[in-house]
Amino acid sequence: MGMGSKKNSATNLNYLTEDQSSSTKENLPPLADTTLADAALTSLTLMSSSEKLDWFDEKIGTLSGKGRSPSSGSSADMFLNAASAKTSLAVDIATAVKYLGPLPCMKQYKVLSRIMENLSITTLINNTTKANGDDKSDLDANGDSILNNMLLNKNVNAIPASAAEGTLTLVRALAEVNLSSTCAATNRIMEVYLSPLIPHLLTFLSSSNTNVRTLASDAVITIINRLNPASGGLILPFVENKMSSFFVLLRHPDWRVKLGVLDAIRQFSVAFKECIPLHIPVLIPNLTGVVWDTKPQVSRGAGMAIRSVCECNINVDIKQSIAAVVLSIVKPSETVKAVEALCHTTFIVPVDAGTLSILCPVLSRCLLEKKTLNKRMACIVIDNMSKLVESPYAVRPFGRLLVPGLKDVCDNVQFEDIRDTALSALGSLTKALGHASIEEATEAYALEIQLEVAAEEKRIKDERGKDEIERARKEEEDKRDRAQFKEAMDAERRLQNLKLEEEKKANFEKSKAQDAQRKSVKKAGVCQGCGLKKCKKTCLFYEKK
């Protein structure tokens, strides 16, 4: 994925109004041709299952650098030769997989298991959420997906660079050799194995090794570009809802991973142009949150991803205004210009949920403008748009964005014609929402907002309660630790006192013995003063008998 540049910072928004067809990455240059001759492939076919398993184990082991790593102290020429050899070996393995069949090779001969082992992948992610079902087995205590947390916390730098480089090259070779735009059965089988690897490959963009990052990017691009356009069901679960793996990776601490995800979404918008419109209501809110990232490259990538996704919208009426709307999403000060462009739009075709997800946030922001003429433009667009809403279910998620704002214009704007325009828009929107009257709609969304506020207050209260319980538990543990520490210190102090007393007693006994010895006249039958057995009268220790 493109790493971006500081020159194209978020403050320069010209890229949002330019044609992006040339910025989308096409197929990469092909890898080297296979060195396996037809005779070698034929002999491989004649091998037994155990021999084929050993053959793949040996080749993948060599590719993953179980021997000498080419990056360890070798010259540039040696490194290039080793990289070329790895590429050739990866193409040979991919060719053998195609010749023998993807299903037995990936499963029976454990090619997929070796890839997962070398990349430290425990579980493949196809659809990481169980939020819409009853199965919560993969959710932790906080309701977050365990697999998603594993993606966010994965340390790719702990994986040897040689193993990562060789395995990523193999993944790209498998995609290049075994995938194509045709609907052959072998292609469909390989898509099932390679598409779930995409989120895991994106995490390798956080590697400190430049070669690993480049190979991971190339592998993802090759997989996406070679998937059949009809296989959107294999990819779109990654963007199905806010808990899907792509949106979780947008919270990754490394900015390169975020940028890689945004570039992948742009690739999706080109490869699966007919499938993306169904997921625009989920894509736009999640991508909008990344626009304000502190890294200019990520902010720019988010704007380009939003532009690519919005261009997939099937509503032809707003095609000419997409650039202005996207610019207003990235730069809120351009909201009035975007609404002005929409005000001159004639709505003819039905308005679906994707169109509403693009326009409603901009219109709701325009309803909060200070100038009443800006509010009037927003009301006109809402009125025209609401008359062509195809289903109440399409507009219902956005009713809470527009109904309160329109009601506020109806009640507080002093100009009667603007109030009438807002009332007309509110009536059209109420009808599109399926409510019988404006009062019913306003009360319903007021109640919904109140319930959301109450739920948020309850959540905050529960979090504070949990924090208080945790704080009380920590205080109790600290109090118990302090008591144990005090008891231990008291015991240590008593032991030291006993030791001092014993030393004092021993010293006293020793000094007493020394005094007795000094007072003793004879030692070994000899006087300590004169050195004679029988002291003279002049000796200090002379004793009269």
Side-chain angles (χ1 to χ4, degrees):
M1 303 297 158
M3 294 295 107
S5 62
K6 292 186 177 181
K7 183 177 180 180
N8 296 323
S9 63
T11 56
N12 182 12
L13 302 178
N14 294 332
Y15 62 91
L16 294 177
T17 58
E18 296 173 352
D19 183 18
Q20 296 190 37
S21 58
S22 59
S23 62
T24 304
K25 296 189 177 182
E26 301 295 337
N27 290 331
L28 297 169
L31 297 173
D33 295 332
T34 181
T35 59
L36 291 178
D38 293 340
L41 293 173
T42 303
S43 62
L44 185 61
T45 306
L46 298 176
M47 292 181 182
S48 63
S49 297
S50 60
E51 291 175 340
K52 293 176 183 176
L53 179 61
D54 294 339
W55 187 87
F56 279 109
D57 283 343
E58 179 185 356
K59 296 297 182 181
I60 297 177
T62 304
L63 185 63
S64 59
K66 289 185 178 179
R68 181 182 177 184
S69 174
S71 59
S72 57
S74 57
S75 64
D77 293 339
M78 292 176 62
F79 177 78
L80 291 176
N81 293 333
S84 177
K86 279 192 173 185
T87 301
S88 179
L89 183 56
V91 174
D92 291 345
I93 297 173
T95 304
V97 169
K98 182 178 181 180
Y99 192 81
L100 297 176
L103 185 58
C105 291
M106 299 299 285
K107 297 297 289 184
Q108 183 179 356
Y109 306 141
K110 299 183 179 181
V111 174
L112 181 62
S113 300
R114 297 294 181 267
I115 292 174
M116 295 175 62
E117 179 183 352
N118 292 337
L119 298 181
S120 296
I121 301 174
T122 56
T123 305
L124 288 179
I125 297 178
N126 188 22
N127 188 1
T128 61
T129 178
K130 301 287 176 62
N132 298 326
D134 297 329
D135 185 7
K136 306 292 183 180
S137 58
D138 68 339
L139 301 181
D140 59 14
N142 297 324
D144 297 328
S145 172
I146 297 174
L147 298 178
N148 288 340
N149 291 335
M150 291 172 61
L151 274 180
L152 290 177
N153 300 325
K154 185 173 182 178
N155 182 16
V156 298
N157 291 316
I159 302 173
S162 58
E165 291 174 8
T167 308
L168 292 171
T169 305
L170 175 59
V171 172
R172 179 188 171 185
L174 288 171
E176 186 173 303
V177 174
N178 293 272
L179 292 182
S180 65
S181 59
T182 63
C183 294
T186 56
N187 296 335
R188 304 285 72 75
I189 294 174
M190 188 56 71
E191 286 175 352
V192 174
Y193 291 118
L194 294 184
S195 60
L197 290 173
I198 293 178
H200 299 282
L201 299 179
L202 288 171
T203 60
F204 282 86
L205 294 177
S206 62
S207 174
S208 58
N209 190 302
T210 305
N211 295 326
V212 172
R213 294 198 302 268
T214 302
L215 292 171
S217 172
D218 294 345
V220 172
I221 293 172
T222 304
I223 293 175
I224 295 176
N225 287 343
R226 288 184 173 268
L227 286 174
N228 189 279
S231 63
L234 298 173
I235 297 298
L236 295 179
F238 297 135
V239 294
E240 190 173 42
N241 53 57
K242 64 180 182 180
M243 290 181 64
S244 295
S245 56
F246 268 37
F247 301 136
V248 171
L249 286 176
L250 289 176
R251 305 199 306 265
H252 198 280
D254 195 291
W255 67 271
R256 294 183 182 89
V257 177
K258 299 179 184 179
L259 185 59
V261 173
L262 295 170
D263 287 345
I265 292 176
R266 288 176 54 219
Q267 297 291 124
F268 286 160
S269 65
V270 175
F272 308 104
K273 200 175 185 67
E274 291 76 16
C275 302
I276 288 292
L278 297 175
H279 297 269
I280 290 179
V282 179
L283 283 164
I284 294 299
N286 286 280
L287 294 177
T288 302
V290 193
V291 169
W292 315 113
D293 194 273
T294 55
K295 202 70 176 179
Q297 294 91 327
V298 177
S299 179
R300 183 178 188 274
M304 297 178 69
I306 292 174
R307 172 73 184 275
S308 298
V309 170
C310 291
E311 287 179 345
C312 294
N313 186 47
I314 59 177
N315 192 306
V316 296
D317 296 337
I318 64 170
K319 286 291 184 182
Q320 301 298 325
S321 306
I322 284 293
V325 173
V326 174
L327 183 61
S328 68
I329 294 175
V330 177
K331 188 177 181 182
S333 59
E334 300 290 329
T335 298
V336 176
K337 294 182 179 179
V339 175
E340 185 177 357
L342 292 172
C343 194
H344 295 91
T345 300
T346 302
F347 289 91
I348 300 176
V349 300
V351 178
D352 58 354
T355 305
L356 291 169
S357 65
I358 297 172
L359 301 183
C360 287
V362 179
L363 295 173
S364 64
R365 191 188 303 150
C366 190
L367 289 174
L368 301 177
E369 290 285 331
K370 292 182 178 180
K371 292 185 178 181
T372 55
L373 291 178
N374 298 336
K375 297 177 184 288
R376 179 177 179 275
M377 287 192 301
C379 293
I380 292 174
V381 175
I382 295 172
D383 191 10
N384 296 334
M385 178 182 67
S386 300
K387 293 176 181 178
L388 292 172
V389 172
E390 58 183 3
S391 171
Y393 297 102
V395 71
R396 190 163 295 169
F398 311 102
R400 63 182 307 276
L401 290 176
L402 302 178
V403 171
L406 290 173
K407 182 64 175 175
D408 182 71
V409 175
C410 293
D411 295 340
N412 299 325
V413 174
Q414 59 180 341
F415 300 105
E416 184 177 358
D417 58 335
I418 297 179
R419 292 200 304 270
D420 292 341
T421 304
L423 187 62
S424 176
L426 185 56
S428 301
L429 181 60
T430 301
K431 184 177 180 181
L433 290 168
H435 293 288
S437 62
I438 295 177
E439 290 75 13
E440 179 184 344
T442 54
E443 290 176 1
Y445 286 103
L447 179 61
E448 180 180 343
I449 293 174
Q450 290 177 1
L451 292 176
E452 288 184 359
V453 171
E456 184 66 15
E457 290 177 350
K458 183 177 182 300
R459 184 188 65 80
I460 295 174
K461 185 177 179 181
D462 292 342
E463 288 183 356
R464 289 178 177 175
K466 292 180 181 179
D467 292 341
E468 290 294 334
I469 295 174
E470 183 68 17
R471 190 180 300 109
R473 185 184 64 81
K474 288 183 178 180
E475 289 179 355
E476 186 66 24
E477 289 182 355
D478 292 342
K479 184 178 179 180
R480 184 169 61 253
D481 293 342
R482 286 195 298 269
Q484 293 176 354
F485 178 76
K486 183 179 179 181
E487 184 179 353
M489 293 300 296
D490 291 340
E492 182 70 20
R493 194 178 298 110
R494 287 194 296 268
L495 289 175
Q496 289 180 356
N497 291 336
L498 290 174
K499 186 177 180 181
L500 290 175
E501 289 178 2
E502 291 178 355
E503 290 179 355
K504 186 176 180 181
K505 186 177 179 180
N507 292 334
F508 177 75
E509 293 294 338
K510 184 178 180 181
S511 61
K512 185 177 179 181
Q514 290 176 352
D515 291 341
Q517 187 178 5
R518 282 196 300 269
K519 291 179 181 180
S520 176
V521 177
K522 303 289 184 177
K523 184 177 181 182
V526 179
C527 177
Q528 296 183 20
C530 61
L532 300 175
K533 292 184 178 180
K534 186 176 180 180
C535 298
K536 296 180 179 181
K537 293 183 180 180
T538 57
C539 181
L540 295 175
F541 299 102
Y542 176 77
E543 294 181 358
K544 293 182 179 181
K545 297 183 178 179

